[in-house]
Amino acid sequence: MAGLAWFYVVQPAREFLASWQPPAQVQTTAQQSGGTKADAPLTTADVQRFVRVRREVKKALGSSFTNVQQVWTDIQNGQSPSVVTVLNVVRGVGSGIGQARQAQTAALAKEGMGAARYAAVRREVNRALGLPEVDFAEAANALQQGRFPDLNTTVQTATASERALVAPFREELTKTAAAGLLGL
């Protein structure tokens, strides 16, 4: 049993986490480029920069994005992912994550957006789209540490202004929302 757990749970989680390198922070303070704090209210410029970064991430993920998209569709239909599903996705996209992280880092630098601000905008965009905040990177990290991951798919309500800011990009962002499962 321990051998199966090692090969089917711990090893895939370790490989995924090894390829999951968060974007490097250019600044270590709470302020990001352009003076925007990570937890500042969502702006039109934030959403536009987020969309451009997400386009680069999707392009870098290539065909491995399809499996992640299928899991995301299941989540949207009210199905919480099982640990086995998480592991299968983690195993399938492991190699593409490194490329997507590099593309994300380059796009964030080009857009002048820090990783903390990007993560905050991603949360707000997901709320505005009516999507849950599920992150497979956190789930893989929990599995590697021997903890059962929290795969809660609760949706938090967005404000009317957040929904209005995201509305022009709603269709595109809904199609690429699955990248958020990977922390991208």
Side-chain angles (χ1 to χ4, degrees), residues 4-84:
L4 289 174
W6 175 259
F7 287 108
Y8 290 103
V9 177
V10 176
Q11 257 330 81
R14 290 178 76 195
E15 289 172 12
F16 175 75
L17 288 173
S19 67
W20 189 81
Q21 298 291 325
Q25 286 285 8
V26 176
Q27 299 175 339
T28 57
T29 64
Q31 296 236 323
Q32 303 299 323
S33 299
T36 304
K37 289 184 180 180
D39 60 352
L42 190 64
T43 66
T44 302
D46 288 332
V47 174
Q48 291 170 342
R49 289 193 310 249
F50 178 83
V51 168
R52 289 189 294 268
V53 171
R54 183 58 69 81
R55 286 174 185 156
E56 294 302 315
V57 167
K58 182 181 179 207
K59 195 182 319 177
L61 279 172
S63 63
S64 63
F65 187 71
T66 307
N67 295 336
V68 178
Q69 233 171 350
Q70 180 57 50
V71 172
W72 188 246
T73 301
D74 293 345
I75 290 171
Q76 287 178 294
N77 292 331
Q79 299 173 8
S80 292
S82 68
V83 173
V84 173

Side-chain angles (χ1 to χ4, degrees), residues 15-25 50 53-62 64 93-110 113-116 118-119 122 133-140 178-184:
E15 289 172 12
F16 175 75
L17 288 173
S19 67
W20 189 81
Q21 298 291 325
Q25 286 285 8
F50 178 83
V53 171
R54 183 58 69 81
R55 286 174 185 156
E56 294 302 315
V57 167
K58 182 181 179 207
K59 195 182 319 177
L61 279 172
S64 63
V93 299
S95 62
I97 294 294
Q99 294 171 351
R101 280 279 167 218
Q102 290 174 351
Q104 183 184 39
T105 300
L108 287 172
K110 181 180 176 184
M113 188 177 216
Y118 181 80
R122 183 181 64 228
E133 183 69 25
V134 177
D135 190 336
F136 281 6
E138 291 176 18
L181 290 174
L182 304 170
L184 298 169

Side-chain angles (χ1 to χ4, degrees), residues 42 124 127-128 157-168:
L42 190 64
E124 292 179 42
R127 264 199 323 261
T157 307
T159 65
S161 63
E162 288 173 335
R163 286 190 302 270
L165 289 172
V166 172

Side-chain angles (χ1 to χ4, degrees), residues 120-132:
V121 171
R122 183 181 64 228
R123 281 190 300 277
E124 292 179 42
V125 165
N126 283 348
R127 264 199 323 261
L129 294 172
L131 304 173

